[in-house]
Amino acid sequence: MVKTQKTKPNQTDRLLVIACGMIAREVLAVKEQLGLDHLQLTCLPAEFHFYPDRIAPAMDKAIEKAKTEGYEHIFVGYADCGTGGLLDRVIEKHGVERMAGPHCFAFYQGMEAYAKIADDDMMSFYMTDFLCRQFDAFFMKPLGLDKHPELIKDYFGNYEKLVYLAQTDDPELDKVAEKAAALLGLAYERRATGYGDLTTEMAQAAKIA
């Protein structure tokens, strides 16, 4: 019997996901979970979470670069994420799709579930697995809270509770979220969301590709 050797799919056969660095681990987890071998991932800096004005122009360049490299199937791993519709102009320009919703906190919970609690969560400070892992790097040090804890009220005084949207069941991350809530003087709530709509939208994007 002659064994056939599997050939690697070229760029035209692959699905390229250009995502926020904050969800890189989760996209790769979904890729493994669904067996999406033809999915490739590249990310824009996670710090754009704080600079949403940088997302649309950076995505425009990233998509243009991907197309010059031969990618025909591209999916944007961002919701609007504070761009005020500017990201939608970019994806319309290039004829690609993005994650539905206003931000990752919405699609992790699932858009239907989020729509029901959005008003009640207006005064909530969201954390995810990524933000638990990077709490010091993303909040304590940049905001100077490690040296000036008195600033906590200035930054977080308008929040009422911290809601941890847990993608995984990790006791260590739970501890970080609980300590963060105590530090910030907020009530604490944990919601086990898993990957939410990220799973279904990655599956749909991969199917189309």
Side-chain angles (χ1 to χ4, degrees), residues 18-34:
I18 306 175
C20 170
M22 285 180 58
I23 68 168
R25 184 188 293 248
E26 288 70 29
V27 171
L28 292 176
V30 169
K31 172 182 177 177
E32 182 176 359
Q33 183 183 86
L34 300 180

Side-chain angles (χ1 to χ4, degrees), residues 46-51 125 130-131 133-149 151-152 155-156 183:
E47 66 179 22
F48 284 5
H49 176 74
F50 293 120
Y51 308 100
F125 176 67
F130 175 89
L131 291 175
R133 293 188 184 95
Q134 303 294 331
F135 185 72
D136 286 343
F138 261 61
F139 298 108
M140 295 300 291
K141 293 180 180 179
L143 298 179
L145 303 182
D146 53 337
K147 296 180 180 179
H148 299 284
L151 295 176
I152 288 175
Y155 286 114
F156 298 93
L183 175 68

Side-chain angles (χ1 to χ4, degrees), residues 90-195:
V90 171
I91 66 173
E92 287 170 10
K93 169 186 173 182
H94 292 287
V96 299
E97 299 290 333
R98 70 164 173 85
M99 290 293 303
H103 41 62
C104 65
F105 308 124
F107 68 66
Y108 274 146
Q109 297 181 85
M111 289 305 300
E112 288 187 16
Y114 175 73
K116 295 177 181 178
I117 51 82
D119 290 342
D120 292 337
D121 274 3
M122 287 293 290
M123 308 303 288
S124 297
F125 176 67
Y126 286 127
M127 288 187 67
T128 61
D129 283 12
F130 175 89
L131 291 175
C132 283
R133 293 188 184 95
Q134 303 294 331
F135 185 72
D136 286 343
F138 261 61
F139 298 108
M140 295 300 291
K141 293 180 180 179
L143 298 179
L145 303 182
D146 53 337
K147 296 180 180 179
H148 299 284
E150 68 274 10
L151 295 176
I152 288 175
K153 289 185 179 180
D154 293 335
Y155 286 114
F156 298 93
N158 292 325
Y159 293 107
E160 295 177 352
K161 65 178 176 179
L162 184 152
V163 178
Y164 170 33
L165 308 175
Q167 283 73 68
T168 57
D169 187 13
D170 187 331
E172 293 304 312
L173 297 183
D174 291 344
K175 291 178 183 178
V176 172
E178 290 173 3
K179 288 181 179 178
L183 175 68
L184 303 179
L186 304 175
Y188 178 68
E189 180 183 345
R190 182 186 190 276
R191 297 177 192 165
T193 64
Y195 303 120

Side-chain angles (χ1 to χ4, degrees), residues 18 44 54-64 76 78 87 90:
I18 306 175
L44 300 186
R54 300 180 185 179
I55 296 173
M59 182 60 68
D60 189 25
K61 291 180 181 178
I63 294 174
E64 287 180 352
V76 173
Y78 274 88
L87 182 59
V90 171

